[in-house]
Amino acid sequence: MRKLGGVAIGAGIGILVVVGWFFRPTTSAEWAGWVQTIGVLAAIFWSVRLQSTASRQSLRQAGQVAAMFASHMHWVFRELNDACIKRSWADYSVHRRILQEVLMRGREVTLQLLDGRSLAMVSSLRTIAVEALEKTEGHTESGNWMQLQLYFDRRLPSIAAWLSATGNPPESSGPTDYAGLRTSFGPLGDL
């Protein structure tokens, strides 16, 4: 794309030089016309360049948001899995609430800006998150912890595979904006 733009600019400058060589401006009005033409062409070039830069930046940011969503999903599924192993209702309740927040943020990812793998990853992870929330909806403190733990344990490899397929291997630590996830929470008593 850059080569094509460079060729177009070079051709435009070449045409202006050739035309200017044969039809040299002689009056002040002709000089003004040439200066205006060069100014308009420079403005068009600059606006196309800015649009291209903004487009590339939007694509890059959408990919980063998708990767962050997947990383948060992996982390929260690991934490829910650990809570089920420990049979810790408090940990389970907090991390289920974080899963709701992660899904809400995952729904904010603009799908139109994602490429094939990232688009498939975000769509798949949204589905997995909704399924997990539905599966955990009726879970109580005395519920079947082992079945729920097996559910999370089966989903973790597929989330890690999506992360790896998009060039973002899963990290062992939690989400980088964990504090940001927690700020939107209300009291946990209404779970």
Side-chain angles (χ1 to χ4, degrees), residues 89-119:
W89 180 251
D91 287 348
Y92 169 81
S93 299
V94 167
H95 289 100
R96 187 179 184 284
R97 189 87 183 259
I98 292 172
L99 176 60
Q100 290 172 333
E101 181 76 17
V102 167
L103 176 60
M104 185 181 75
R105 293 218 178 160
R107 287 182 173 152
E108 294 172 358
V109 176
T110 307
L111 298 178
Q112 291 81 7
L113 296 177
L114 297 176
D115 64 355
R117 276 191 182 157
S118 294
L119 176 62

Side-chain angles (χ1 to χ4, degrees), residues 17-98:
V17 167
V18 169
V19 170
W21 184 261
F22 290 110
F23 302 105
R24 291 186 189 164
T26 55
T27 66
S28 62
E30 288 176 351
W31 276 105
W34 274 94
V35 170
Q36 275 186 326
T37 301
I38 291 170
V40 166
L41 292 176
I44 290 172
F45 165 72
W46 189 254
S47 67
V48 168
R49 183 170 179 261
L50 286 177
Q51 180 64 29
S52 173
T53 303
S55 176
R56 280 194 310 273
Q57 184 177 4
S58 294
L59 291 173
R60 188 172 42 254
Q61 285 176 343
Q64 289 171 345
V65 170
M68 197 165 47
F69 167 58
S71 177
H72 291 178
M73 279 281 295
H74 187 261
W75 176 82
V76 78
F77 266 62
R78 266 196 348 254
E79 292 297 319
L80 283 166
N81 187 32
D82 291 346
C84 290
I85 290 171
K86 294 186 289 188
R87 298 176 191 262
S88 171
W89 180 251
D91 287 348
Y92 169 81
S93 299
V94 167
H95 289 100
R96 187 179 184 284
R97 189 87 183 259
I98 292 172

